[in-house]
Amino acid sequence: QKEVEQDPGPLSVPEGAIVSLNCTYSNSAFQYFMWYRQYSRKGPELLMYTYSSGNKEDGRFTAQVDKSSKYISLFIRDSQPSDSATYLCAMSTGRRALTFGSGTRLQVQP
Amino acid sequence: EAGVAQSPRYKIIEKRQSVAFWCNPISGHATLYWYQQILGQGPKLLIQFQNNGVVDDSQLPKDRFSAERLKGVDSTLKIQPAKLEDSAVYLCASGEGRGRVIGYTFGSGTRLTVV
């Protein structure tokens, strides 16, 4: 079993839709939870960061962490064609480097 | 702030050949990471440096992969000999320090194709 599981998609939505992206994990020691966005032929860039449980909002993006269920989510409101990318969840215990999910490819149709 | 620089951007080699990738991290960043990203998968850590010392190389295939970080700045990742399954994007990232798992900055990567 992989430490971090993520549905690869692809996920196709119309412009303006609310997008929900999710990851599950098995390592209960994970404390740091991140979402990265990766455009084609580019390196991942940090989108959202959450420590431990709870919600965090930044503009159109909301990250949620439910440690009791070992489940994290990223919501994108009013999705735009420029949001089309691969979204990677990533986690760490704080002592080791990030462990990434496999990524979900998102396509927002104009 | 300049980003993480990687070269070359693309490389095509035949199996059993050797190849080297170069990374220049953000100035002042003590931690440097090499990740391997196979098509359709997330990045997988190969090696982590803190200054010029190795922190974690548990997932580095040491029979064919090697990496060094001279003087705690630039780093080189080498594969010798390459196998078909080494075809991937090799990403370099740098961070401010060992305990700060946020603030990773990735380079654009080197896309390796082994034929």
Side-chain angles (χ1 to χ4, degrees):
Chain A
Q1 182 189 10
K2 290 183 181 179
E3 275 193 300
V4 181
E5 299 276 3
Q6 185 174 8
D7 187 335
L11 184 60
S12 183
V13 301
E15 184 175 353
I18 296 174
V19 176
S20 173
L21 303 167
N22 312 291
C23 288
T24 58
Y25 63 94
S26 57
N27 187 347
S28 58
F30 284 144
Q31 295 283 345
Y32 299 85
F33 303 92
M34 281 145 234
W35 286 95
Y36 279 79
R37 178 173 62 195
Q38 187 173 26
Y39 291 113
S40 180
R41 301 189 183 277
K42 296 288 188 182
E45 56 176 339
L46 182 64
L47 200 56
M48 297 284 287
Y49 153 69
T50 309
Y51 172 71
S52 194
S53 283
N55 295 356
K56 188 170 185 178
E57 190 173 318
D58 184 1
R60 297 185 294 110
F61 299 89
T62 299
Q64 290 185 351
V65 175
D66 181 351
K67 292 189 71 179
S68 62
S69 302
K70 296 190 179 70
Y71 187 86
I72 71 170
S73 301
L74 177 71
F75 297 96
I76 307 174
R77 291 181 298 280
D78 187 25
S79 55
Q80 303 294 310
S82 58
D83 296 327
S84 298
T86 296
Y87 289 79
L88 297 154
C89 61
M91 309 175 189
S92 174
T93 62
R95 290 180 169 274
R96 295 183 61 192
L98 291 174
T99 299
F100 284 84
S102 57
T104 299
R105 192 155 55 93
L106 171 67
Q107 185 71 35
V108 181
Q109 305 291 343
Chain B
E1 174 180 77
V4 175
Q6 289 190 248
S7 67
R9 284 300 310 275
Y10 306 93
K11 191 75 177 178
I12 300 174
I13 62 171
E14 295 182 351
K15 60 184 179 183
R16 291 187 289 273
Q17 285 187 324
S18 62
V19 65
F21 314 126
W22 174 82
C23 173
N24 181 236
I26 291 174
S27 178
H29 278 191
T31 310
L32 186 146
Y33 311 84
W34 283 101
Y35 280 83
Q36 179 194 57
Q37 187 174 24
I38 293 172
L39 186 64
Q41 298 182 20
K44 185 186 87 170
L45 180 71
L46 291 174
I47 190 167
Q48 176 185 349
F49 291 95
Q50 177 74 12
N51 296 309
N52 61 347
V54 175
V55 173
D56 184 356
D57 64 356
S58 58
Q59 298 185 84
L60 187 74
K62 299 180 186 64
D63 58 334
R64 299 185 300 107
F65 285 64
S66 64
E68 60 181 5
R69 189 181 184 194
L70 299 175
K71 299 181 181 179
V73 183
D74 292 4
S75 178
T76 303
L77 176 70
K78 296 180 181 176
I79 308 175
Q80 181 179 11
K83 292 185 175 182
L84 295 177
E85 58 260 38
D86 297 332
S87 295
V89 176
Y90 290 84
L91 294 163
C92 179
S94 69
E96 294 180 15
R98 184 173 183 173
R100 293 181 59 83
V101 292
I102 60 171
Y104 274 39
T105 301
F106 281 87
S108 292
T110 295
R111 184 176 297 271
L112 174 67
T113 302
V114 183
V115 297

